[in-house]
Amino acid sequence: MSFMIKEKSHREEPHIINEERKLASSTSALGILREKLVENLGIQRIDSFLFHYGYEMGVHDAKEAKKTDKTIEELIIEGPKLHMKSGHIQGFEHKCQVEYDGDQLKSVTGKGTWIGSYEAYEHKKRLGVADTPVCYTLLGYSSGFMSTIFERELIARELTCTGAGHAECRWVIRLKEEWEQDAHEDIYNQHSSPIVQELEYTYDQLFDQTNLVTKLSTFQNLLTKEIVDGSDLQTLTNRAYEIIKRPLIIDDLKLDPLSFAGISEERIKVIDAESKQKLPGHVVKNRKRYAVPFRKKIMELDGYLRCIVPVMVENEIYGYCSLLIKEQKEQQTKEEFLFLEHFANAVALILLNEKTRFDSYERMKGNFFEQVLENKSSTLELLNKAKYIGFNLNKPFYIAVVEYVNDVDSIEEEFAFNEHIMEATFQFFNKERLAVLSTLRETNVILYLPDLTERQIENVLNKYLQHLSEEFPQTYVKIGLSQNGEGIVEIKDRYHEATIALRLAIKKAIVSYETLGIVGLLLNTRHLDEFHVMAKKELKELYQLKEEKRAELLKTLYYFLENGGNLERTKGDLALSMSGLRHRIQRLEELLDRDLRKPSEAHSLFLLLKALVVLEELALT
């Protein structure tokens, strides 16, 4: 079965080709149009667009109405009726007061209520309850109709709106100049541009956004290429500056510049000094110092606006990227931050690459140093391996053993803390441009420090200790230092010396083995266990006491002998009262049956106590 239907219908009279036709359209269709306008123009722009759409309809209807013989009063009444006839509203209440000064229009004040506004209903239905009134088309229609009738500019304003959750849609219409006199210029200016200008503005915005996206894409591609090519921070900064034409700065956590472009070094010092006063401080977490985190920040400085974002590497702040501008336009600042955040991400990638490469190299050196300390390979093999990492192990050197208090709660926290200690160590010696070997043994960092004089080693270790104190302000650190060694065969012995010096680092943060004198020599013999037997024999009466009481009296004895019998200094070291200290000294002399103020007795006892400290049987800290 098949069939064909053909039909033709049209009006052929040429004189009604230009006749205005009425189009049937549901409120839902206009609601859909409104929804799509929001999607494409944004909620901030549709008020003006729809206002002018309604305005032109009002102007058209007013011109048609003025072609009749109706008076001005009749035309005012006709306006709301035509508005309702269009289907935009279902009913209205309306009153209007008009004043003339002779033949000159003086004032117009119209007030009323729209009943069943399609705009309010459709807006709430498709876009939700608004924060402000939304009957933009109705406002435009009223403004256009009344302005055409009076041949003066009138602007309608909605006071309440069901689309904004109010009980009714109430409005007021007045002459433009009346609104301006009441400081409501924004009501007129908001709707002062014709639709074509709104479209032009929207096009310009889209064009600007397209240019911005294109520029950002070009910028990102350039940064990516520099990273792939292995560029350093300064090269990256220079290339970024060529595109955005804004001064750029990369700072470390202390706001000391790592690289910069488009600004002099002298000017950066001034800017950084001012910025340091405005940056948030630091916090301590898991005993490590962290900069207070923030996503981005704008600083108002003398002559500049500084946009600053942190450089994040493995969820930690490693520094800051800054961009300097003199303008303070909000939109422009947002765009600057887009470029700055892309730049900070690129910087983070370079720092991550450098950190990974640096950490891998340092850990490789640490593994090698462990082999040297354990002496599991032949001397010749170790010397050959050392050459591959740039070390000559036959040069003079020092060994330092660094101990830090670690009272974290879990294995995971302990591991993370140890990692932070080693990373801080790597960073310090890298910044000081010193080639060292380092490894971690329990809570001790072992350092091999070549090519340093006695004065240099003291200065370096003091600076290193200060660095750790700043990075880990709640952690107590002490260092034991060996004598100067000569060649690889002495490394193990020097390590033993540094360990002895560390255990005797009681009042001082850094103790050198050389300062121990004859005590160090005696305690460094191969018969240290014999000292242990002798100590237990000489201190037998103390060893028969309970552990807690024994430790208390041994500690008192050590500080008393170390202070040469000075009660005042000993009292301070032990935080005791003078009467309490005298009681303990008397008790010690009774148990040991010795005169503790006699030099010969004191020296031998003090040597035995130091042996117990080295053997870790006497804890003083």
Side-chain angles (χ1 to χ4, degrees), residues 18-66:
N18 295 321
E19 180 186 274
E20 184 177 30
R21 288 172 286 172
K22 299 292 183 180
L23 300 178
S25 179
S26 68
T27 56
S28 292
L30 293 174
I32 292 170
L33 174 64
R34 185 188 199 87
E35 186 177 14
K36 294 305 176 184
L37 285 172
V38 170
E39 288 181 9
N40 290 278
L41 299 182
I43 192 71
Q44 296 84 2
R45 303 303 305 170
I46 67 164
D47 59 344
S48 183
F49 186 93
L50 293 176
F51 178 89
H52 287 97
Y53 169 64
Y55 191 96
E56 296 300 330
M57 287 194 296
V59 169
H60 176 271
D61 285 356
K63 286 180 178 178
E64 291 298 314
K66 287 179 71 174

Side-chain angles (χ1 to χ4, degrees), residues 397-423:
F397 67 92
Y398 287 92
I399 296 292
V401 179
V402 185
E403 182 179 272
Y404 51 91
V405 177
N406 182 0
D407 58 356
V408 293
D409 298 327
S410 67
I411 295 176
E412 292 77 11
E413 288 179 330
E414 180 180 9
F415 177 79
F417 184 71
N418 291 340
E419 287 291 300
H420 289 316
I421 286 282
M422 290 305 294
E423 188 172 318

Side-chain angles (χ1 to χ4, degrees), residues 439-471:
T439 189
L440 186 69
R441 286 190 168 186
E442 296 180 354
T443 58
N444 290 345
V445 177
I446 319 300
L447 298 173
Y448 171 88
L449 302 146
D451 296 329
L452 292 171
T453 65
E454 186 176 344
R455 176 175 289 185
Q456 287 174 329
I457 192 68
E458 182 180 353
N459 181 52
V460 167
L461 289 181
N462 277 310
K463 289 173 68 175
Y464 173 59
L465 195 66
Q466 178 65 27
H467 175 71
L468 292 183
S469 298
E470 291 176 358
E471 288 291 303

Side-chain angles (χ1 to χ4, degrees), residues 536-551:
K536 286 200 170 185
K537 180 180 177 181
E538 294 294 326
L539 305 171
K540 180 176 67 173
E541 298 300 326
L542 290 180
Y543 272 90
Q544 291 177 356
L545 300 174
K546 290 183 179 180
E547 184 178 349
E548 185 177 349
K549 189 66 175 177
R550 179 176 73 243

Side-chain angles (χ1 to χ4, degrees), residues 168-207:
E168 57 186 6
C169 296
R170 291 191 300 110
W171 54 270
V172 175
I173 189 166
R174 301 171 70 190
L175 289 169
K176 180 192 78 171
E177 51 265 33
E178 291 183 293
W179 286 122
E180 291 174 342
Q181 290 170 5
D182 292 346
H184 283 292
E185 300 92 336
D186 60 309
I187 294 171
Y188 176 73
N189 293 333
Q190 181 182 13
H191 308 303
S192 61
S193 303
I195 292 176
V196 66
Q197 290 186 15
E198 291 295 326
L199 292 174
E200 288 175 355
Y201 174 83
T202 302
Y203 173 79
D204 290 341
Q205 290 290 96
L206 291 172
F207 184 75

